Amino acid sequence: MADKLKDPSTLGFLEAAVKISHTSPDIPAEVQMSVKEHIMRHTRLQRQTTEPASSTRHTSFKRHLPRQMHVSSVDYGNELPPAAEQPTSIGRIKPELYKQKSVDGDDAKSEATKSCGKINFSLRYDYETETLIVRILKAFDLPAKDFCGSSDPYVKIYLLPDRKCKLQTRVHRKTLNPTFDENFHFPVPYEELADRKLHLSVFDFDRFSRHDMIGEVIMDNLFEASDLSRETSIWKDIQYATSESVDLGEIMFSLCYLPTAGRLTLTVIKCRNLKAMDITGYSDPYVKVSLLCDGRRLKKKKTTIKKNTLNPVYNEAIIFDIPPENMDQVSLLISVMDYDRVGHNEIIGVCRVGINAEGLGRDHWNEMLAYPRKPIAHWHSLVEVKKSFKEWQGRAASFDSESSCPSPKPPPTP
């Protein structure tokens, strides 16, 4: 029977017979199944599996992508039965069984969100002397840092972005619930309070070694509890930290995507409170935007350089051509750099936006996709370059000397 089915004339006759009646008792059941499989294979070969033509502007972008990104998924319809799961033979390796869980990553996240007690303080502004009065009242339920099951806590106070003016409380011996009740004065004009942040760092004093950091509190909005005209008591959770956070400044930019044109526009608006990188107490900042795909840099563009300022204003647009089907595979790395005429340019801080970014970087990207053709602007805090971005720091000077992606080398002359 199987040899007969291989004959093309026999298959043609059977197809005609099936068209007359699919349930005819004259045709055996195994013949009907063989014919059905042959028709299904013939139908698959006739399906169109070519990718639709795309805009020529996206050719250079797609050339950098892995080959599997170029193949669009083809819908074969619902009439085909799902492929049966193949049985696993003995000795065959199952990769999913060898995937290790990221235990260290989970521990790091839990430590980052772990609370290390609470701290109570109050704020008040003296309009006559133009002074912000910070009163550190007490702390509660601090973690034990010493072998005796206690700590020797004290608090450092900063009014960011100024770190030169550092004040601190007295050290309280062997207690996890210290009462400080100390006042600290910061001269600052009232109109500048909206741009200032209160940073409290709680330490454990150690006479013979380095002091251990218990945690920190950063209050971004000084008007969070009141208008500061009268003293207001505030309780805050002390967040786990191993070293004092460095305030690198903030950058404001907008994102806008046009799906029909496949065009992403990032407009660098301005920066504020950047970290001073020069001896003069200022920086020469510019912004570099890199288009990333799977950790690889595809393109980079940069703004102009603003001399001797920590609060530059740019209002410059940077445009990338990205097809809509690739928007979930790319991200943008925004680096604020300090230009140096002699030596290498230094990175002040970075932030990242994309579908796989964290926090505001992911939310900003999703908001842009949810409202196409509309510019969405946000302030982003700059962070230090992580180990995953170490290559960007090492190659910063070579990137800035390029005007575009490196072109392929010409073939050698015979």
Side-chain angles (χ1 to χ4, degrees), residues 239-263:
Q239 300 300 323
Y240 174 84
T242 55
S243 61
E244 289 187 279
S245 301
V246 179
D247 188 61
L248 304 175
E250 296 176 288
I251 181 172
M252 173 185 274
F253 58 86
S254 67
L255 295 175
C256 181
Y257 186 65
L258 279 69
T260 54
R263 179 178 298 128

Side-chain angles (χ1 to χ4, degrees), residues 151-164:
S151 295
D152 303 322
Y154 68 95
V155 182
K156 291 183 181 180
I157 305 100
Y158 301 92
L159 192 61
L160 302 178
D162 183 14
R163 283 192 171 271
K164 296 179 182 179

Side-chain angles (χ1 to χ4, degrees), residues 308-320:
N308 297 324
T309 179
L310 301 179
N311 301 280
V313 178
Y314 297 98
N315 290 320
E316 300 180 28
I318 295 176
I319 299 175
F320 295 103

